């Protein structure tokens, strides 16, 4: 079954404690990206990756890092989380061949206190 | 720059009634348009998409949308609402900018079905 898997689904952490949200896809997709969803703002892109070792900033990259060492994995790293990063996060992947369907993970609800 | 406007953050319709969710977009290049649905505690699922060709697009679960270039609209409709349609719906426009297949989303419309 084609899927994008995120972990954890729910996370409560304290300000400043580094965390990583994992994302893995089983479709051999080249393109992966991270979005955050906030009430009244829809989804906004944080970072994206066009292939292994190729990453770049999206619209709201401040406070986040990513890496793409393997094609299937695209972890999101928060080095020093702050309360304004409390949000619902989604990982997505697509073929990278242009305007094909993006597959989304189940989401990670992060609360930073 | 691209943008999407969804009119109405909350829409309520009676079961069996017409569903109409509005979406207007702004794009400097020919747009590629999508509707996604989000059920509670789940990720986003593609309902339908418009890339090129026929402007009336049919999707899953009986939904369809019509691309109207003159009105810069891509409204989502379903003739008869079902209780299982209760969810949040997102309209999105896609662009490829130096390899970034970014989706720009609207703010979403929460659809409630009244029994």
């Amino acid at each position: 079954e084609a899927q994008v898997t995120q972990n954890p689904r729910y996370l409560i952490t304290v300000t400043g404690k580094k965390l990583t949200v994992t994302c893995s896809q089983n479709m051999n997709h080249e393109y992966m990206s991270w979005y955050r969803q906030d009430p009244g703002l829809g989804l906004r892109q944080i970072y994206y990756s066009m292939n292994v070792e190729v990453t770049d900033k999206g619209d709201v990259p401040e406070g986040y890092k990513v890496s793409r060492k393997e094609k299937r994995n695209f972890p999101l790293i928060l080095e020093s989380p702050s309360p304004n990063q409390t949000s619902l996060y989604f990982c997505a992947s697509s073929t990278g061949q242009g305007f094909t369907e993006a597959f989304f993970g189940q989401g990670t609800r992060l609360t930073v206190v | 720059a691209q943008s999407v406007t969804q009119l109405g953050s909350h829409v309520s319709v009676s079961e069996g009634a017409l569903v109409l969710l509005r979406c207007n977009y702004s794009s400097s290049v020919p747009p590629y348009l999508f509707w996604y649905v989000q059920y509670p505690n789940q990720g986003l699922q593609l309902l339908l998409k418009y890339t090129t060709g026929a402007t009336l697009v049919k999707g899953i679960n009986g939904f369809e949308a019509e691309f109207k270039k003159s009105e810069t609209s891509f409204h989502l409709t379903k003739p008869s609402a079902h209780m299982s349609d209760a969810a949040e719906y997102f309209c999105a426009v896609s662009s490829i900018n130096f390899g970034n297949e970014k989706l720009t989303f609207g703010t979403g419309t929460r659809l409630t079905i009244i029994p």
Side-chain angles (χ1 to χ4, degrees):
Chain A
E1 179 188 357
Q3 60 184 6
V4 178
T5 303
Q6 291 178 232
N7 281 295
R9 292 289 310 278
Y10 302 91
L11 179 60
I12 301 175
T13 190
V14 297
T15 299
K17 184 177 181 181
K18 181 179 178 180
L19 66 91
T20 299
V21 183
T22 64
C23 173
S24 180
Q25 50 95 1
N26 65 357
M27 295 165 279
N28 201 37
H29 283 166
E30 292 186 352
Y31 182 86
M32 298 184 74
S33 61
W34 278 100
Y35 293 84
R36 61 178 288 174
Q37 182 182 5
D38 300 291
L41 295 177
L43 284 82
R44 295 175 293 167
Q45 190 185 55
I46 304 171
Y47 266 94
Y48 67 94
S49 170
M50 293 186 284
N51 215 324
V52 175
E53 302 291 1
V54 182
T55 64
D56 207 346
K57 298 176 181 178
D59 295 323
V60 287
E62 293 77 20
Y64 305 95
K65 287 176 56 178
V66 293
S67 69
R68 188 91 179 273
K69 293 181 168 47
E70 305 166 282
K71 199 171 188 178
R72 63 183 293 123
N73 296 323
F74 190 44
L76 179 69
I77 303 157
L78 285 72
E79 294 267 358
S80 182
S82 62
N84 64 11
Q85 293 178 297
T86 292
S87 187
L88 180 58
Y89 292 87
F90 288 101
C91 179
S93 76
S94 56
T95 62
Q97 303 305 312
F99 308 121
T100 57
E101 177 181 356
F103 291 81
F104 284 80
Q106 298 280 70
T108 296
R109 186 168 294 282
L110 172 66
T111 301
V112 183
V113 298
Chain B
Q2 298 180 303
S3 65
V4 174
T5 301
Q6 291 184 241
L7 294 175
S9 58
H10 292 85
V11 171
S12 296
V13 301
S14 298
E15 190 175 14
L18 171 72
V19 175
L20 171 60
L21 304 183
R22 299 179 186 275
C23 173
N24 288 88
Y25 69 90
S26 172
S27 176
S28 57
V29 297
Y32 295 84
L33 297 158
F34 303 79
W35 275 100
Y36 281 86
V37 60
Q38 184 180 28
Y39 297 104
N41 298 316
Q42 294 189 26
L44 279 75
Q45 180 183 5
L46 182 67
L47 271 180
L48 50 80
K49 66 179 180 182
Y50 168 79
T51 53
T52 59
T55 56
L56 182 61
V57 180
K58 296 185 185 301
I60 61 172
N61 301 336
F63 284 94
E64 62 182 37
E66 186 171 11
F67 169 60
K68 291 187 176 181
K69 184 178 179 181
S70 61
E71 299 177 7
T72 61
S73 68
F74 191 56
H75 302 331
L76 182 70
T77 60
K78 181 174 180 178
S80 177
H82 191 273
M83 294 301 294
S84 61
D85 295 327
E88 189 156 21
Y89 293 79
F90 291 92
C91 182
V93 60
S94 178
S95 64
I96 295 182
N97 185 20
F98 297 102
N100 182 13
E101 292 186 359
K102 185 175 79 171
L103 286 165
T104 299
F105 287 88
T107 53
T109 297
R110 185 169 298 279
L111 177 64
T112 300
I113 311 298
I114 304 167

